[in-house]
Amino acid sequence: MIYEGKAITVKPLEDGIVELNFDLKGESVNKFNRLTLSELRAAVDTVKSDSSIKGLVVTSAKDVFIVGADITEFVDNFKMADEELMAGNLEANQIFSDFEDLPFPTVVAINGIALGGGFEMCLAGDYRVMSSSAKVGLPEVKLGIYPGFGGTVRLPRVVGADNAVEWIASGKENRADDALKAGAVDAVVAPAMLHAAAVDLVKRAISGEMDYKAKRQPKLEKLKLNAMEQMMCFETAKGFVAGQAGPNYPAPVEAIKTIQKAANFGRDKALEVEAKGFVKLAKTTVASSLIGLFLNDQELKKKAKQYDEQAGDVKLAAVLGAGIMGGGIAYQSAVKGTPIMMKDIREEALQLGLNEATKLLDKRVSKGKLSAVKMAEALNAIRPTLSYGDFANVDIVVEAVVENPKVKQAVLAELEGNVKEDAILTSNTSTISISLLAQALKRPENFCGMHFFNPVHMMPLVEVIRGEKSGAKAVATTVAYAKKMGKTPVVVNDCPGFLVNRVLFPYFGGFAKLVSLGVDFQRVDKIMERFGWPMGPAYLMDVVGMDTAHHARDVMAEGFPDRMKEDKKTAVDAMYEAERFGQKNAKGFYVYETDKRGKPKKVSDPAAYEILKPVVYEQRELSDEEIIEIMMVPLCLETIRCLEENIVDSAADADMGLIYGIGFPPFRGGALRYVDTLGVAEFVAMADKYADFGALYHPTAKLREMAEKGEKFFG
């Protein structure tokens, strides 16, 4: 053995060829943490000083090559002073440059995922051989930063500026055939052939058949583009990418600016340009929010995994209540490989459910994401039925009938008599207490909530609701089934509205307040969309449906009368009474016309303002900033209450629920991260400005205590 560490070993292979192998002990994947980087430094120094070495092959002992840098360490590094962070970054970069400058040819064998720093390691090699099953990419922009180990310097010089801009600004993962086409790798081979192909390539370079020095040279020099070509490439790209990313995500455009600035420099100076821009992005609130989001997502996945041991096996599922929602649930289950029965009492409802599933499958086939054979398999996995005939074999049932406690209780009680004793029953309710529904059951321990969001195939979140009597196995099996369906489950405790709707309705309450103060709802929509929401509150209510919003608001008002009971008629009441139900009957705050693709398009309607006149109680001039505060304060305070009352397990769970469930702006990291960014004391002072608006705007005693102590929700 030439070098032996806890993450890297270097051993001789044959004829002066050595193998540098990544295998981080105690971890399932390779990543660049402090240990790996310091060992790479030592390994490079060792091979550099050994004159008997003629060539080197880089390999991985894991299923992946290297997944990237260790994000948890990143967070600590980003707290350093600018100079310190930049010095650390350049020090790490020196290792990659020294590897690149070794006095013999190097070949990297990419056996699995090589992302971020992992792919930057590959780019520092002379040649890259890739397994046909591997993927490569630089996804850093998704974390609000850009590549910091030389990716913005080497990739444009390897694949050309246009390709590099597309790869870096999109952050996408690229399959082997695409990587080969772009010139990011030199060969693609079957997984079993990878090692032999890499060794063969290094031998050809040693013999002089391949000129590795000529291959290396462009990476050390300026970009081969003249001034006019540079302008055309970068200015066009900046305009297009800025339009795609929007004003709240600066990293993609900053990456292009960095490539442009560094285009006229050789490698070492170009790396300094990269490091400077990297530090600037690392210090933004967008980066801390998006990195926080990534870590929260990891935590959520880890929690969901912990339920696996207690979960029952789901071989056959069922959904009660067809229609759009039932059809969506059936589609999601079937397409992810769990056969499902779909029961309704009406033949036409079953047809509607099947049509919905067929439409969704059809769409996937037309986009090339599903073969016709797979579509047929998925459709065959959905079995429509009008009776409970085959329910004796079902492992889990999702009840998705009308949102009415009495109807749901009757259906669940009947269902319980038609399934095996250990079958898990769940209710897809958005607001009704699970403990209340469980009162109709003989085996309440086998029952919990499973709240899907509409449209089922698009929305990643499933709330799994633990009622007072829900057993551990019921919760665990439901979590496992949600994961199997490709969803992100968040386990919450029972209360009216659970987490997402309980938090959404105070936000709608803020909107009702603004309308009552004479603020134009279209202005509110525009401001909140600029703030980062996918749609403004009026538009969102139209999409949800005014009848649904009205009913849910009443349930919430009953559950939390001190905060959510309105003493006067509101905008929702006015729309509901005028039978303007939103998109479902093509008129709400807006009216809806069908566009060329058959999708509803919102159009302003003067009649909406007439309908709202009776619920405008005064005229108040408010700034854009005040409008944002009036909307956001109740949402954030209700999220804080959910955390304090243990409705959610952690701040991470709360924030992820809002991002995945209602499209909270990801670059703000979630409601609690947003409060942290503002500062808890500053947020409390903001809420206090609106104290006369009622209890929705009153901070909790615990939050005031946090403000006094200078505490945060996230460390």
Side-chain angles (χ1 to χ4, degrees):
M1 196 67 79
I2 296 166
Y3 174 85
E4 192 166 8
K6 290 179 178 152
I8 293 173
T9 54
V10 182
K11 65 175 185 188
L13 286 178
E14 54 180 290
D15 305 331
I17 299 168
V18 298
E19 179 175 344
L20 187 153
N21 180 260
F22 283 91
D23 188 6
L24 183 55
K25 298 285 173 279
E27 296 278 356
S28 58
V29 295
N30 289 320
K31 55 190 170 185
F32 276 121
N33 54 12
R34 287 186 193 98
L35 172 77
T36 308
L37 277 171
S38 67
E39 289 192 6
L40 184 59
R41 170 78 280 163
V44 168
D45 290 344
T46 304
V47 297
K48 187 179 174 181
S49 61
D50 188 335
S51 57
S52 69
I53 297 175
K54 294 178 186 161
L56 179 144
V57 175
V58 181
T59 61
S60 160
K62 313 273 193 205
D63 291 340
V64 301
F65 181 71
I66 301 169
V67 293
D70 186 332
I71 303 295
T72 47
E73 285 186 6
F74 253 38
V75 180
D76 295 337
N77 291 350
F78 288 2
K79 290 173 186 160
M80 293 174 181
D82 287 14
E83 298 74 28
E84 205 182 336
L85 182 54
M86 182 149 168
N89 186 280
L90 287 171
E91 198 180 316
N93 264 300
Q94 194 57 53
I95 307 169
F96 291 87
S97 294
D98 288 350
F99 172 79
E100 189 166 45
D101 296 339
L102 286 170
F104 43 75
T106 55
V107 177
V108 184
I110 309 169
N111 65 314
I113 289 172
L115 298 175
F119 184 45
E120 287 170 295
M121 174 73 212
C122 303
L123 290 169
D126 295 325
Y127 299 97
R128 287 157 292 284
V129 184
M130 189 171 175
S131 156
S132 55
S133 62
K135 280 185 177 172
V136 295
L138 296 169
E140 286 86 347
V141 293
K142 293 177 180 171
L143 298 177
I145 52 178
Y146 64 50
F149 287 163
T152 68
V153 177
R154 291 189 181 92
L155 191 63
R157 287 156 178 79
V158 170
V159 301
D162 285 349
N163 284 331
V165 162
E166 192 195 330
W167 279 36
I168 292 170
S170 69
K172 65 176 182 179
E173 294 178 16
N174 303 277
R175 294 201 315 256
D177 49 350
D178 293 326
L180 183 65
K181 202 159 74 186
V185 297
D186 302 287
V188 171
V189 297
M193 307 292 291
L194 184 67
H195 195 273
V199 173
D200 176 60
L201 188 50
V202 87
K203 280 180 179 170
R204 287 160 66 193
I206 294 166
S207 72
E209 185 192 330
M210 313 275 283
D211 187 347
Y212 77 90
K213 286 184 178 168
K215 184 87 163 51
R216 187 182 288 186
Q217 199 55 35
K219 291 193 286 170
L220 310 176
E221 296 174 353
K222 296 176 185 180
L223 255 184
K224 290 184 172 41
L225 289 177
N226 65 35
M228 181 55 93
E229 288 167 336
Q230 282 188 33
M231 196 185 85
M232 288 186 66
C233 168
F234 298 122
E235 296 307 322
T236 315
K238 277 191 283 195
F240 176 73
V241 168
Q244 294 279 307
N248 300 311
Y249 294 88
V253 173
E254 287 300 318
I256 300 169
K257 286 181 183 170
T258 294
I259 298 171
Q260 185 175 15
K261 271 184 209 155
N264 296 319
F265 299 118
R267 180 192 68 190
D268 295 349
K269 181 78 176 103
L271 286 171
E272 284 177 30
V273 173
E274 179 185 87
K276 209 170 182 179
F278 181 85
V279 169
K280 184 175 135 189
L281 280 175
K283 297 288 185 177
T284 60
T285 56
V286 175
S288 64
S289 293
L290 292 175
I291 289 168
L293 201 63
F294 176 82
L295 295 172
N296 289 353
D297 192 49
Q298 301 292 89
E299 189 185 314
L300 213 54
K301 287 190 170 84
K302 208 183 286 176
K303 272 187 192 158
K305 207 170 167 48
Q306 286 164 2
Y307 286 99
D308 286 356
E309 284 171 31
Q310 289 174 294
D313 198 15
V314 176
K315 292 193 180 80
L316 178 64
V319 59
L320 282 194
I324 302 286
M325 196 71 179
I329 292 168
Y331 156 82
Q332 196 63 33
S333 186
V335 86
K336 292 292 182 182
T338 305
I340 187 164
M341 298 176 70
M342 183 167 59
K343 181 189 177 303
D344 206 286
I345 49 174
R346 293 177 6 262
E347 185 67 56
E348 58 269 33
L350 286 177
Q351 206 45 60
L352 184 64
L354 275 176
N355 290 349
E356 177 68 8
T358 308
K359 188 177 83 189
L360 294 170
L361 287 162
D362 238 349
K363 207 179 268 182
R364 291 198 67 165
V365 172
S366 65
K367 285 183 176 171
K369 289 183 177 174
L370 200 69
S371 68
V373 173
K374 288 280 181 208
M375 174 173 171
E377 277 174 18
L379 272 177
N380 286 337
I382 302 172
R383 284 161 51 198
T385 176
L386 291 165
S387 75
Y388 284 112
D390 292 329
F391 268 59
N393 301 319
V394 168
D395 301 302
I396 192 166
V397 186
V398 183
E399 166 274 305
V401 302
V402 62
E403 189 75 350
N404 176 311
K406 286 192 171 58
V407 175
K408 282 185 183 288
Q409 281 185 329
V411 167
L412 286 163
E414 184 187 24
L415 168 68
E416 191 179 41
N418 284 284
V419 293
K420 56 188 178 184
E421 289 232 336
D422 62 348
I424 305 300
L425 308 187
T426 72
S427 176
N428 173 45
T429 171
S430 53
T431 51
I432 303 165
S433 160
I434 292 301
S435 304
L436 172 74
L437 293 178
Q439 288 170 10
L441 297 171
K442 295 190 181 93
R443 300 187 291 274
E445 67 280 4
N446 287 349
F447 173 66
C448 65
M450 189 178 194
H451 177 209
F452 290 86
F453 291 79
N454 222 345
V456 175
H457 67 288
M458 300 270 287
M459 300 299 278
L461 185 73
V462 168
E463 280 181 307
V464 176
I465 303 108
R466 191 192 284 118
E468 280 166 25
K469 294 185 176 168
S470 301
K473 189 183 175 188
V475 171
T477 306
T478 308
V479 166
Y481 179 50
K483 278 199 313 186
K484 207 170 165 189
M485 289 173 93
K487 298 297 174 194
T488 300
V490 173
V491 178
V492 300
N493 285 318
D494 192 25
C495 70
F498 322 125
L499 167 68
V500 175
N501 278 323
R502 176 173 164 180
V503 168
L504 181 60
F505 278 84
Y507 175 76
F508 284 156
F511 171 69
K513 187 73 198 169
L514 287 168
V515 174
S516 78
L517 296 173
V519 181
D520 179 354
F521 67 83
Q522 291 196 65
R523 181 184 168 207
V524 179
D525 271 6
K526 285 194 185 94
I527 289 168
M528 296 318 289
E529 281 163 18
R530 275 204 304 273
F531 180 81
W533 286 92
M535 55 182 79
Y539 186 21
L540 178 58
M541 276 193 196
D542 277 358
V543 171
V544 167
M546 221 62 64
D547 48 348
T548 306
H550 188 267
H551 168 75
R553 196 271 320 268
D554 289 350
V555 172
M556 306 303 289
E558 201 180 317
F560 309 102
D562 63 320
R563 299 192 296 285
M564 300 197 203
K565 203 169 181 59
E566 303 280 0
D567 51 357
K568 292 176 180 163
K569 232 170 83 164
T570 69
V572 177
D573 297 317
M575 288 290 163
Y576 179 70
E577 285 167 18
E579 293 188 0
R580 292 176 74 105
F581 298 144
Q583 282 188 353
K584 52 181 82 168
N585 71 345
K587 52 182 192 258
F589 286 96
Y590 301 91
V591 289
Y592 293 87
E593 296 169 359
T594 308
D595 69 10
K596 285 176 194 154
R597 288 178 303 175
K599 288 192 172 161
K601 183 173 137 233
K602 71 177 165 76
V603 180
S604 180
D605 181 17
Y609 291 94
E610 288 303 313
I611 289 161
L612 291 173
K613 268 184 184 166
V615 296
V616 176
Y617 300 107
E618 62 171 292
Q619 292 289 339
R620 205 182 280 195
E621 284 298 317
L622 292 167
S623 68
D624 289 5
E625 202 52 48
E626 287 169 321
I627 287 170
I628 291 168
E629 291 173 358
I630 291 166
M631 290 297 304
M632 294 303 294
V633 166
L635 178 146
C636 294
L637 285 175
E638 204 60 40
T639 311
I640 289 162
R641 287 189 184 97
C642 285
L643 185 62
E644 287 181 10
E645 292 167 22
N646 293 322
I647 300 302
V648 276
D649 198 30
S650 67
D653 285 10
D655 277 357
M656 295 313 283
L658 299 188
I659 283 166
Y660 286 154
I662 49 173
F664 191 100
F667 68 93
R668 297 190 187 276
L672 302 177
R673 177 90 50 187
Y674 173 61
V675 172
D676 273 358
T677 303
L678 292 171
V680 175
E682 286 75 5
F683 176 77
V684 167
M686 181 199 290
D688 284 342
K689 286 197 301 195
Y690 306 102
D692 62 325
F693 284 6
L696 268 186
Y697 289 81
H698 297 171
T700 64
K702 197 172 170 191
L703 187 68
R704 290 193 186 279
E705 204 180 301
M706 279 179 73
E708 278 165 30
K709 291 181 180 168
E711 290 174 354
K712 298 168 85 169
F713 291 101
F714 295 94

